[in-house]
Amino acid sequence: MSQTGSKKAILFIFITLLIDCIGIGIIIPVMPTLIQNLGHANISEASTIGGWLNVSYAIMQFIMSPILGGLSDKFGRRPVLLISLFGLGIDFIFLFLAPTLGWLFVGRIIAGICGASFTTASAYIADVSTKENRAQNFGMIGAAFGLGFIIGPALGSAFSSFGVRVPFLVAAVLSLINCMYGFFILPESLKKENRRNFEWKRANPIGSLLHLKKYPAILGLITSLIIIYIAGHAAQSTWMYITIEKFKWTEGINGLSISFVGLTIAIVQGGLIKVAMNKLGAKKSVYTGMIFYIIGFMLFAFANQGWMMFAFMIPYALGGIAGPAMQTIMSGQVPANAQGELQGAITSLMSLTSIVGPLLMTGLFAYFTDRANPVYFPGVPFFAGGILTAFSLLIAWIALRKQELK
């Protein structure tokens, strides 16, 4: 693909992911309220139900991601991406119509089966990137994520004034429009000479993970990523519940807070990644990002006023430097015809951590907000996230140090 074609492809994938993230972001501010209404639950109970909803999605994604990654290596990225976008739209329709909690679980299972948009996007970007611009292009995924979570939650807060279910309908429409956009606009990125045959032994989740043994140089970083992803659920799985419990925030304020998170992430991923990589290099960027993550988590944990959560988002967002730097190091160790397999395996690992992470973090929140227990500490998931990130930093340092000594 020519340089001009590569730039256009990156723009197409950016817009596709942006609309995808807006759709996801729209529903975030109202999800706790919907769970409370359908489950007749208090906020601690709703957090536990929300954790299990995340787990149901993650289990299906764990099973399906390596299959979809393998299929994208055989048939190309475009058809797999379109399937995932369509599945997300169906999920939102289920959430919009849900008369019971059971319907919420069905919707999340459907989304998990089809949920390969970020996996396929990562492989797509690996296809069209050079060694020089790979980190910057991977950062575009984070930028789309960040910008989507600026616009999405703000829209969710606005549409929630018309009813708690309206944001789900808007999200469904956006996702299906996005699928149509991809169908007519998105080009294929994987050249035919870089495709491989589909093999079930490499496409099952366990086989996909075991296949990573072929690349021992990245196993340490994979372990570090696993821990980082678990730590990340301190924010992903409990932010809404913590702020409702601790600061009595409404859907509107929560939507604005997530939009601000998105703004900071977009700035870091869209611009500062390139600066950090140029100034620090990939390895030092990993270390720097993780240190910022630790600082952000600990500040969140002990914040005692609502405005502090906005201020402390800045060091937390700067932690986003680490992810694309780590992706750059790992993707550089894998051949072109296995990038989809690598990203599928990474997504499977993310899904595994999304089984453990939500249960761990919502469980901690539920326990430490139960007035019957001796210690009341609603910020405990953030504290746990900081400890886990410190451990991840140590593992990453050991892994990268070994590479230097070879």
Side-chain angles (χ1 to χ4, degrees), residues 220-276:
L221 292 178
I222 289 288
T223 303
S224 179
L225 267 182
I226 290 172
I227 300 170
I228 278 285
Y229 289 145
I230 293 173
H233 279 279
Q236 295 171 29
S237 297
T238 62
W239 176 274
M240 304 289 294
Y241 303 102
I242 291 173
T243 55
I244 291 171
E245 171 69 19
K246 200 170 181 179
F247 306 114
K248 310 304 177 189
W249 282 3
T250 63
E251 290 94 342
I253 298 175
N254 257 320
L256 291 175
S257 74
I258 298 168
S259 291
F260 189 73
V261 170
L263 176 61
T264 57
I265 291 173
I267 292 171
V268 170
Q269 301 282 348
L272 293 184
I273 288 291
K274 184 178 181 180
V275 175

Side-chain angles (χ1 to χ4, degrees), residues 317-395:
L318 287 170
I321 293 169
M326 207 175 290
Q327 285 263 37
T328 298
I329 295 170
M330 289 190 295
S331 65
Q333 303 289 326
V334 175
N337 66 355
Q339 290 291 336
E341 182 178 50
L342 171 65
Q343 300 304 332
I346 290 174
T347 302
S348 288
L349 288 171
M350 288 177 64
S351 300
L352 272 179
T353 63
S354 295
I355 296 170
V356 176
L359 295 180
L360 172 63
M361 298 305 179
T362 58
L364 286 171
F365 174 78
Y367 180 85
F368 283 94
T369 54
D370 187 339
R371 303 290 178 169
N373 292 321
V375 178
Y376 177 77
F377 185 17
V380 70
F382 293 130
F383 183 79
I387 298 297
L388 287 170
T389 304
F391 187 46
S392 177
L393 173 59
L394 176 62
I395 293 174

